[in-house]
Amino acid sequence: MLLLLGLCLGLPLFSESQEEARSWDDTSEQVVLRVPRQLRLLQRLKTKPLMAEFSVKSTIISRYAFTTVSCRMLNRASEDQEAEFQMQIPESAFITNFTMLIGDSVYRGEITQKDKKSSESVKDKRNRTSDDNEENGSDMFKASLVIPSKDKAAFFLSYEELLQRRLGKYEHSISVRPQQLVGRLTVEVDILERSGITSLEVLPLHNSRKKGSGKAEGDVGPPPSTLINQNETFAKVIFKPTVVQQAKIAQNGILGDFIVRYDVEREQNIGDIQVLNGYFVHYFAPFFPHICLLPKRHHSLTACLISIPLGLL
C-alpha cells in the first residue's frame, strides 16, 4: 500500500501532461521574453525552432526510477521548420511512452521490443571511430517533426529503470543536453525509500564529450541553483538554472549529466523485498561482521583467522 500511495503521489499522470500541453497558450511566449535581448537575437538568427521549455521529472521508489521528459518548441519563423528532439537514456532503461503534439494534433509512438545486438555488430562498433553523441552505458533516442510556421510543438518521453548498486552507492543519471539555451529548464528528482536514506550527494555536471565541456571551472559540488531537501525516508533535488547560468556552463546547451548518488539503510537480515503489481524484487548484500579484513600487503589467507558464528551458517 505504501508503494501504491507513493506511485499515486510521485508519478505525474500522462493524461494530465496531455491536458497541460493542450492548454499551453501564451505562457511559453512569456518564458521566451525572459531570455536576455542579445541571446534572443542570436536565437532568432538560427534556423532551428526555439526551445521554450525542457523539464525532467524523476521519481525513485525503492530504487526503481520513473522518469518523464517534456520539451516544448516554438517556430517563430515565417516558414515551416524541422525540429529534432533527442534524449540520452541509460542503457538498462526501457521506454514506456512517447507522444508528440503539433498544434492541437496528438501523435502517439508505438513501443516495440528492442532488438538484441549481435556479436558481429558489437565488434564492428568497437573497431569503428564515430562522432556520435552517445555516451558509454547510454542509448540515444531521437525524433524529428516539421513545425508549421508560427506554431508550436511538444514532446513527451517516459522511461523506467531499476537502479544498480555500485561501489556502495545507487546512482541515477539524467542527461541535460537540450542543444540550445532554454528559457525554462528544470530537473527534479524525488527519492522515496522506506528503509531510510543514509547518504545523498549531487555530483557536478559530467560530460566526457570533447565538444562542449559542460563543466565550469572549479566545480567541486552540485551544479549552480541546485536545491536539496531531505529527511529520513524522502529527498527532493531540484536543478533549475537560469539562462545566464546555462550560458556559463555551456553556450551550446550541452550541459551534461545530472547525477544523484545515494544509499539506503541496510539491516543484518535476509534483505529487503518489494512487491508491486504481481512482481517482486529482492535487495540483499552479504554481510559478515565477524570476518576480519585481510590487509592488501598480505597474499596468504593464513594471515587472517576467520571466525563465523554458527548462527550465520
Side-chain angles (χ1 to χ4, degrees), residues 109-145:
E110 181 180 355
I111 308 300
T112 59
Q113 185 177 2
K114 183 178 180 181
D115 296 334
K116 295 183 179 180
K117 299 180 181 179
S118 62
S119 58
E120 295 181 358
S121 62
V122 173
K123 291 180 181 179
D124 181 67
K125 185 176 181 181
R126 291 177 180 176
N127 297 329
R128 184 177 67 251
T129 303
S130 175
D131 293 331
D132 293 341
N133 291 332
E134 296 185 10
E135 297 285 347
N136 293 331
S138 64
D139 293 331
M140 179 66 75
F141 176 85
K142 293 183 180 181
S144 61
L145 55 80

Side-chain angles (χ1 to χ4, degrees), residues 26-44:
D26 295 335
T27 57
S28 57
E29 294 285 351
Q30 298 176 1
V31 174
V32 176
L33 294 178
R34 299 176 187 174
V35 181
R37 182 180 302 175
Q38 295 179 352
L39 295 178
R40 291 206 309 269
L41 179 60
L42 292 176
Q43 290 174 342
R44 288 178 182 177

